[in-house]
């Protein structure tokens, strides 16, 4: 069981991880640079070449990257426990779709995204110990309010 302050550190750490991981996905130009590296990693792991990205794929990648970047900055600056709980749900959803893609394609590169996604989801699903503070302490600890 984590204290509220320890849980807030987990939420902030997951946000920092996301900023570092998602930054190249936020523009079409940076994603195209990253894609070449991802392709090389996937090939080295025994996978097939990644598909060529068309402008519509780049748009969707950049939209996703932009939304995740904003969400990550919010959690970095204000690592509320409830944001960690919502982020855990989002990570389970992302993990579900990554697992589906892994089953459909067998691309080993997906493991490099799926495992950390599940780990951060689990870390933000851990129980939080409530402090014995007054109403202010309880309000800060509220996970869903």
């Amino acid at each position: 069981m984590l204290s509220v302050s320890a849980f807030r550190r987990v939420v902030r750490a997951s946000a920092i991880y996301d900023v570092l991981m998602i930054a190249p996905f936020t523009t079409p130009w940076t994603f195209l640079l990253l894609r070449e590296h991802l392709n090389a990693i996937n090939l080295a792991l025994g996978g097939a070449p990644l598909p060529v990205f068309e402008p519509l794929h780049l748009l969707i990648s950049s939209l996703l990257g932009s939304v995740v970047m904003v969400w990550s900055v919010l959690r970095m600056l204000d690592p509320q426990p409830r944001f960690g709980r919502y982020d855990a749900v989002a990570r389970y959803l992302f993990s579900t779709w990554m697992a589906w893609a892994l089953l459909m394609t067998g691309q080993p590169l997906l493991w490099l995204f799926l495992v950390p996604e599940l780990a951060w989801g689990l870390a933000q699903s851990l129980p939080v110990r409530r402090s014995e503070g007054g109403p202010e302490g309880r309000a800060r600890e509220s996970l869903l309010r």
Side-chain angles (χ1 to χ4, degrees), residues 45-140:
L45 293 172
L50 296 179
V52 175
F53 267 51
E54 301 284 330
L56 186 59
H57 300 116
L58 293 170
L59 168 66
I60 292 169
S61 170
S62 296
L63 289 174
L64 174 68
S66 298
V67 169
V68 172
M69 182 62 77
V70 170
W71 172 242
S72 300
V73 170
L74 171 68
R75 290 179 296 120
M76 275 177 38
L77 298 176
D78 188 12
Q80 295 181 32
R82 71 180 174 152
F83 292 164
R85 296 301 194 212
Y86 282 111
D87 192 59
V89 171
R91 288 179 187 279
Y92 293 138
L93 288 170
F94 276 44
S95 295
T96 300
W97 310 135
M98 285 183 213
W100 172 82
L102 182 61
L103 288 171
M104 294 293 109
T105 68
Q107 296 286 31
L109 177 70
L110 291 168
W111 285 109
L112 301 178
F113 291 93
L114 178 58
V115 170
E117 205 65 28
L118 284 171
W120 283 116
L122 289 171
Q124 293 179 112
S125 297
L126 293 172
V128 175
R129 179 178 54 243
R130 297 203 177 270
S131 70
E132 296 183 17
E136 289 178 4
R138 284 192 296 277
R140 262 196 347 249

